[in-house]
Amino acid sequence: MYIIVGLGNPGREYAQTRHNMGFLTLDVLAERWRIPLSTKGFQGLYGKGIAAGERVMLVAPQTYMNASGECVGAMARYFDVPKDHILVIYDDIDLPVGRLRVRQAGSAGTHNGMKSLIAHLGGGEFPRIRIGVGKPEPGTLLADYVLGIPTKAERETLAQVRQAAADAATEIIRGDMDEAMRFANTFQG
């Protein structure tokens, strides 16, 4: 089984923000794979199904970004899912808008949601898909930027990137991490 986690913040006021790229990509996967996120539990919303011949669970933690690991850690332990079968999708300010990166493991960087996941999973040895949202203009607070709504042009680009992120997730579930990395790392939305 794979757990595919999209990071974001619950609530209407955050729904379309840069910080919710993980949640928005989960929506793409849920539609593609016909897996509704309709079950509540483990401080999250989730749905189970089959994708690319594998059992998968799509998970949207409802703990707010900085405590995402509470949900994912509890699920991983309960369902006995190893770290290398937990795929995390999230926004990244260190990538320009329209860029995508796939990594097999790594650190949290400056991302508090990832810091929480690494703490609750006992390390960063899990695959991740990073969606570039760009950096704020000088003088703009980081929190205001990531919790802000992208411009119209950025929204159009990010919609394409989320589709590409879903394609990369499918390759990872198929067991082809190298192809997912090649595709994502050369994608330019």
Side-chain angles (χ1 to χ4, degrees), residues 18 97-98 132 149-162 189:
R18 291 176 182 91
V97 174
I149 305 289
T151 67
K152 183 179 184 215
E154 289 173 336
R155 286 193 303 270
E156 291 170 2
T157 299
L158 288 168
Q160 294 173 24
V161 175
R162 289 192 303 270

Side-chain angles (χ1 to χ4, degrees), residues 164-175:
D167 293 342
T170 302
E171 291 301 325
I172 292 168
I173 298 307
R174 284 188 179 126

Side-chain angles (χ1 to χ4, degrees), residues 123-135:
E125 301 82 25
F126 53 87
R128 71 267 329 261
I129 298 174
R130 299 163 37 210
I131 297 174
V133 296
K135 289 189 182 290

Side-chain angles (χ1 to χ4, degrees), residues 12-18 20-21 24 148-150 155 162:
R12 290 188 113 122
E13 67 270 31
Y14 301 113
Q16 300 300 315
T17 64
R18 291 176 182 91
N20 272 33
M21 288 303 115
L24 293 167
I149 305 289
R155 286 193 303 270
R162 289 192 303 270

Side-chain angles (χ1 to χ4, degrees), residues 71-131:
C71 167
V72 179
M75 291 185 96
R77 286 186 296 278
Y78 183 83
F79 292 104
D80 196 27
V81 176
K83 282 188 278 196
D84 66 345
H85 277 62
I86 299 170
L87 171 61
V88 182
I89 306 168
Y90 64 103
D91 63 288
D92 192 328
I93 62 165
D94 293 319
L95 293 174
V97 174
R99 298 307 301 256
L100 194 58
R101 287 288 180 264
V102 171
R103 295 287 183 259
Q104 201 157 2
S107 70
T110 59
H111 200 283
N112 289 329
M114 289 299 287
K115 288 176 184 175
S116 176
L117 281 166
I118 289 170
H120 285 272
L121 292 173
E125 301 82 25
F126 53 87
R128 71 267 329 261
I129 298 174
R130 299 163 37 210
I131 297 174

